[in-house]
Amino acid sequence: QVQVVESGGGLVQPGGSLKLSCVVSGGLLGFYAMAWYRQAPGKQRELVATIRNGNTDYAASVSGRFTISRDDAKNTVSLQMNSLKPEDSAVYYCNRNPSSQSWWGQGTQVTVSS
């Protein structure tokens, strides 16, 4: 059974940075394209960043500010977030791309506020 655990969220001021991490156990990361998603209160979950075979892609709202990376040997995926804005506040999740229902973890809360 796959377990996905996200961490690294917290409260940060606008313009600040955070690095999120995701550890996957019970599954081999290297087989899949991976992604970070986020969901803000009252909004649908949205795709933020993807990575596959070294290629990355970003939502327009985060391009140039966020960087996704992965370490398949450690079964981890990371998201470096810089120049954070209040509209980046959400619960962030790591999953395959396309997502798999069994790979949803609890997420990690990011709050950007002064």
Side-chain angles (χ1 to χ4, degrees), residues 87-108:
E87 52 264 42
D88 294 319
S89 297
V91 178
Y92 284 71
Y93 302 88
C94 169
N95 200 318
R96 291 159 49 178
N97 182 38
S99 64
S100 171
Q101 186 61 35
S102 63
W103 282 52
W104 290 115
Q106 294 301 307
T108 186

Side-chain angles (χ1 to χ4, degrees), residues 17-101:
S17 298
L18 283 174
K19 185 173 184 178
L20 307 183
S21 295
C22 161
V23 179
V24 178
S25 58
L28 291 177
L29 214 61
F31 288 136
Y32 306 108
M34 294 298 296
W36 282 93
Y37 302 78
R38 69 184 180 187
Q39 187 167 22
K43 295 188 176 181
Q44 287 192 331
R45 191 172 290 168
E46 64 171 330
L47 181 63
V48 173
T50 64
I51 184 167
R52 183 185 183 102
N53 296 330
N55 296 314
T56 58
D57 196 17
Y58 300 92
S61 59
V62 307
S63 183
R65 300 187 297 120
F66 290 12
T67 302
I68 187 172
S69 60
R70 64 191 292 167
D71 185 336
D72 291 347
K74 296 182 178 180
N75 258 24
T76 61
V77 184
S78 298
L79 186 68
Q80 177 67 47
M81 307 186 297
N82 298 327
S83 302
L84 283 162
K85 304 175 180 181
E87 52 264 42
D88 294 319
S89 297
V91 178
Y92 284 71
Y93 302 88
C94 169
N95 200 318
R96 291 159 49 178
N97 182 38
S99 64
S100 171
Q101 186 61 35

